[in-house]
Amino acid sequence: MSIQFEIEATHGPARLGKMTTPHGIVETPVFMPVGTLASVKGVPQDLLEDLGVQILLGNTYHLYLRPGVETVRRMGGLHGFMSWNRAILTDSGGFQVFSLNELRKVTEEGVTFRSHLDGSSHFFSPESAMEAEIGLGADIIMAFDECTEFPAEPARARASMEMTLRWAERSKRYFEAHKQEVPWGSYQPSAISHQQKQIPRPLAPENDNDGGIQAGANQSLFGIVQGGMDLVLRKESAERTVEIGFPGYAIGGLSVGEPREVTREVVEATLQYLPADQPRYLMGVGTPDEIAMYAAMGVDMMDCVLPTRAARHGLLFTSEGKVSIKQARYASDPAPLDPACSCRVCTRYSRAYLRHLYAANEVLAQVLNTIHNLSFYLDTMRRVRHSIRLGEGARFLSGVSSQPKP
Ligand SMILES: [Zn+2]
């Protein structure tokens, strides 16, 4: 058993779902905070649990370079290593390698790239990316794909899509042959069995969501739809990826510099070709308004570095719009950051204090800002789920935009 996905309610194309993973239940539509290096920068795991985070994202490229897959695997995978007993998803490294631009070379076999840390040369293929993702042990792992650059000529977009399809098949073949090697699975290769004994014991269950792992549980490999911004290619990519057969599907290759309206069009055009009874993951988007909009369109899972990265730069999302906390106008402002937000930052601290922390370059500024932004994103998705359950389409979008809550 890998994941189970149940749709509990729908409203138009929007779906309220429950995804059961080997490490607990994820209510969808869900926003997944990004924990690039097995850490959501500045926020400890117990706090993420308090915020209601049910699934985190880790980046294979970064973890492969540092601390290395073998180190993580010996600690029981990411769950054991970072002491996080809820669900985790890892990307395949394809997008990160794509972002290296001048530091990479793509062939049919895979991608040779240089580490952004020390310039050392590395190679990712569908097989080696799967090996890394199995070693990291996330509940959901992604096929190795090529993210098509924007803009791309039609012939280039097609060639890239075709290669991603071939890589998807190779990813699946390797995964099916090796999935039992996941560090928390029932089977352990003898070579590492003596090290397995040193793995920290699984965390005691704290609630229903943190229960033990079922015997025989495995990771789930999701396919990724590419095709650039060409809607015909997107349709073909979706249909042919579905033909290969995965327990869930992602829409990749977006947020690469295209206008937001184009992103929306591509998502809308692609969603209709993905199976209605399986999870759909839109990679790398977006603002609070956008994630609500995509959920309304029928997306079940999203991730984005925006709330955490913006927070570290003093940019905060609130029910009254964006706030740049560094501005002098907040220096003596006794009001909470967002009067409509019930997070632990907004219920305790003033804008003046947050502005001071930021201006003084205090580490706490990054911590508090990140906690608020994550809370705001998670609350946005909670409201979206609530609206789908109640069948309230209109409130759905307006409730998360610039309108203050009543
Ligand atoms: Zn807040």
Side-chain angles (χ1 to χ4, degrees):
M1 195 50 243
S2 44
I3 57 161
Q4 278 180 313
F5 184 61
E6 279 171 67
I7 293 174
E8 298 182 321
T10 58
H11 183 75
R15 312 114 67 76
L16 179 77
K18 198 167 85 175
M19 188 164 65
T20 307
T21 77
H23 291 86
I25 287 169
V26 178
E27 295 166 282
T28 63
V30 65
F31 176 77
M32 305 184 285
V34 178
T36 296
L37 279 163
S39 152
V40 175
K41 293 187 197 313
V43 188
Q45 277 68 318
D46 57 324
L47 229 151
L48 294 171
E49 287 163 1
D50 285 355
L51 296 180
V53 175
Q54 293 176 323
I55 179 167
L56 281 182
L57 187 140
N59 291 122
T60 296
Y61 163 80
H62 289 281
L63 292 161
Y64 160 88
L65 291 177
R66 210 170 39 178
V69 173
E70 192 52 28
T71 300
V72 175
R73 189 166 65 88
R74 287 177 186 178
M75 296 293 290
L78 281 171
H79 295 93
F81 181 54
M82 67 184 287
S83 187
W84 175 257
N85 216 21
R86 296 185 182 179
I88 301 176
L89 179 150
T90 49
D91 64 4
S92 65
F95 182 79
Q96 244 90 31
V97 169
F98 157 85
S99 310
L100 294 172
N101 285 319
E102 302 310 311
L103 298 175
R104 75 190 150 103
K105 181 170 179 280
V106 183
T107 66
E108 181 68 30
E109 191 48 35
V111 185
T112 306
F113 60 95
R114 287 195 178 280
S115 159
H116 71 287
L117 296 173
D118 60 7
S120 56
S121 184
H122 301 269
F123 179 71
F124 269 175
S125 65
E127 292 78 16
S128 68
M130 289 308 100
E131 186 185 11
E133 289 197 87
I134 291 169
L136 294 174
D139 299 271
I140 298 171
I141 69 175
M142 304 304 299
F144 190 63
D145 62 330
E146 187 188 38
C147 182
T148 314
E149 67 282 357
F150 175 83
E153 294 297 319
R156 159 70 195 143
R158 166 161 287 281
S160 175
M161 180 204 80
E162 295 279 357
M163 190 159 73
T164 286
L165 285 165
R166 291 190 295 274
W167 285 2
E169 282 177 0
R170 283 168 57 188
S171 296
K172 184 179 174 181
R173 206 174 308 133
Y174 187 93
F175 175 71
E176 290 299 333
H178 295 270
K179 62 185 178 186
Q180 76 280 8
E181 292 165 19
V182 68
W184 39 263
S186 45
Y187 165 90
Q188 299 301 337
S190 55
I192 60 162
S193 59
H194 67 286
Q195 284 145 349
Q196 289 288 326
K197 290 175 188 153
Q198 297 165 12
I199 291 171
R201 296 187 65 78
L203 306 178
E206 285 171 7
N207 57 47
D208 290 348
N209 200 36
D210 292 334
I213 299 167
Q214 273 185 313
N218 266 320
Q219 297 175 288
S220 295
L221 172 65
F222 280 21
I224 304 179
V225 175
Q226 290 286 349
M229 305 306 153
D230 183 326
L231 303 189
V232 176
L233 283 185
R234 284 278 169 178
K235 172 178 187 284
E236 184 178 341
S237 176
E239 289 173 342
R240 290 171 62 186
T241 307
V242 171
E243 246 168 64
I244 297 169
F246 296 95
Y249 298 91
I251 303 175
L254 295 174
S255 295
V256 288
E258 78 282 8
R260 292 298 158 90
E261 180 53 29
V262 173
T263 316
R264 200 195 60 75
E265 272 174 27
V266 172
V267 172
E268 194 163 37
T270 308
L271 280 172
Q272 58 183 313
Y273 301 108
L274 297 179
D277 59 350
Q278 290 182 287
R280 304 151 162 182
Y281 165 27
L282 175 56
M283 306 178 86
V285 294
T287 63
D289 285 352
E290 285 166 349
I291 61 169
M293 176 185 76
Y294 292 127
M297 289 162 58
V299 170
D300 305 304
M301 305 160 67
M302 284 165 274
D303 75 282
C304 193
V305 293
L306 187 57
T308 41
R309 183 176 289 166
R312 298 196 299 278
H313 292 102
L315 189 62
L316 302 167
F317 297 96
T318 77
S319 60
E320 294 165 348
K322 277 185 247 174
V323 167
S324 175
I325 199 67
K326 68 184 83 171
Q327 290 177 0
R329 58 193 279 213
Y330 300 118
S332 308
D333 190 338
L337 169 62
D338 182 353
C341 179
S342 59
C343 87
R344 61 176 71 203
V345 178
C346 293
T347 51
R348 181 156 192 164
Y349 305 105
S350 65
R351 290 172 182 167
Y353 183 62
L354 294 176
R355 194 262 172 186
H356 156 72
L357 291 179
Y358 190 88
N361 204 19
E362 283 291 317
V363 171
L364 189 57
Q366 304 204 353
V367 174
L368 297 183
N369 291 348
T370 304
I371 290 171
H372 165 78
N373 269 1
L374 277 183
S375 300
F376 190 77
Y377 267 65
L378 295 164
D379 280 348
T380 298
M381 295 313 268
R382 261 185 218 106
R383 284 201 296 276
V384 167
R385 291 195 296 268
H386 189 63
S387 298
I388 300 173
R389 193 181 289 285
L390 297 180
E392 290 178 1
R395 235 181 63 186
F396 209 87
L397 287 169
S398 64
V400 294
S401 68
S402 52
Q403 300 300 312
K405 282 190 289 184

